[in-house]
Amino acid sequence: MRTDPHHAYPYRRAAVWLGLLTLAPLMGGCNVIAWGAQAARGDEDAPVPVEAQYTDLVDQRVAVMVSADEFTLFRFPRATSRVGQAVSNGIAANVEGAAVSLPAQVDAFQRGNPYWITTRPSRLLDRLGVDRLVVIDLNEYRTHEAGNANVWRGVVDATVSVYEADGEDPDNRTFEAQVRAEYPEGSQFGLVSQTADEATIEAAVLQVFALRAGGLFYDHRDVRR
């Protein structure tokens, strides 16, 4: 495994768990809710194996960057950092030999370079000192049914792209996939509940999204949609 102490900031296993703990106040125990609610519907929703779609993060230095529009950031100022941390944690814990840049370091880079999204990917790869750059462009990020503030429905939808420093053209993506997660999922209706709150809904849908986005790069188990 290759590492660069000045740029790569590779995780240790303990750091992965610490990262998960920082999300604990947000999750509020809904790591069980997100899957338990679906599993309770019957065996047809039992977790099923899903194969990785892109496997070239193995033994590579990796950074995850997340972008969102101004409206999303106004409504959810920490959306990009939460998505970046959750997906980075999954890659670090499940992709063999991957040295994943610390989400806090990447977040600080993005805040210090607000126009990073207009920078050539080859330049970002060089400045971050990584071999693979995973870019997540958030298309939708919400906690309510569209147009109805009284009904809870978490949605995270994004385009996930990978750029390779050693690719034929580092400025062109070598992999792209659409990822969508909803909570509750498989239902025509959202939740109307006094016991639900925004933090619980956001954490539940984020957990599902992180599994699917990170799971593009490693074999995992998912609940059928």
Side-chain angles (χ1 to χ4, degrees):
M1 178 176 68
R2 292 172 291 168
T3 61
D4 183 336
H6 299 292
H7 299 289
Y9 307 104
Y11 274 123
R12 296 179 181 176
R13 292 289 177 180
V16 175
W17 289 109
L18 286 173
L20 292 173
L21 286 173
T22 63
L23 290 176
L26 171 68
M27 290 186 172
C30 67
N31 56 326
V32 177
I33 295 175
W35 298 108
Q38 293 171 323
R41 293 201 301 264
D43 293 340
E44 70 275 10
D45 290 324
V48 295
V50 179
E51 292 186 357
Q53 296 185 35
Y54 178 94
T55 58
D56 286 342
L57 297 189
V58 174
D59 291 332
Q60 303 293 329
R61 297 171 299 173
V62 183
V64 177
M65 304 185 80
V66 185
S67 70
D69 58 49
E70 292 183 0
F71 176 79
T72 297
L73 292 175
F74 175 78
R75 182 67 180 83
F76 301 97
R78 297 187 60 193
T80 56
S81 61
R82 283 171 173 162
V83 170
Q85 180 174 352
V87 175
S88 293
N89 285 345
I91 294 172
N94 294 282
V95 178
E96 183 177 359
V100 184
S101 298
L102 288 173
Q105 297 285 349
V106 177
D107 188 53
F109 176 87
Q110 292 185 220
R111 286 186 282 104
N113 299 272
Y115 301 107
W116 68 268
I117 196 66
T118 64
T119 303
R120 294 169 69 91
S122 58
R123 177 63 175 156
L124 292 173
L125 284 158
D126 181 65
R127 293 189 63 184
L128 292 169
V130 294
D131 309 302
R132 301 287 184 268
L133 178 63
V134 178
V135 178
I136 301 174
D137 295 307
L138 295 176
N139 305 315
E140 192 173 5
Y141 191 102
R142 58 182 170 88
T143 54
H144 288 91
E145 194 78 67
N148 192 335
N150 297 314
V151 179
W152 298 104
R153 179 183 292 277
V155 175
V156 180
D157 183 276
T159 304
V160 181
S161 306
V162 179
Y163 297 86
E164 301 177 347
D166 55 357
E168 184 176 342
D169 183 356
D171 288 321
N172 283 327
R173 66 197 69 180
T174 56
F175 173 82
E176 180 180 286
Q178 297 295 126
V179 178
R180 184 177 180 86
E182 297 185 8
Y183 179 81
E185 195 166 48
S187 171
Q188 294 182 349
F189 306 100
L191 294 175
V192 181
S193 172
Q194 295 181 348
T195 61
D197 57 49
E198 186 162 84
T200 300
I201 299 300
E202 183 181 6
V205 70
L206 179 58
Q207 184 184 21
V208 179
F209 176 83
L211 175 65
R212 291 180 181 159
L216 294 170
F217 311 114
Y218 54 86
D219 296 343
H220 63 286
R221 298 179 70 82
D222 194 1
V223 173
R224 291 191 184 117
R225 306 183 202 198

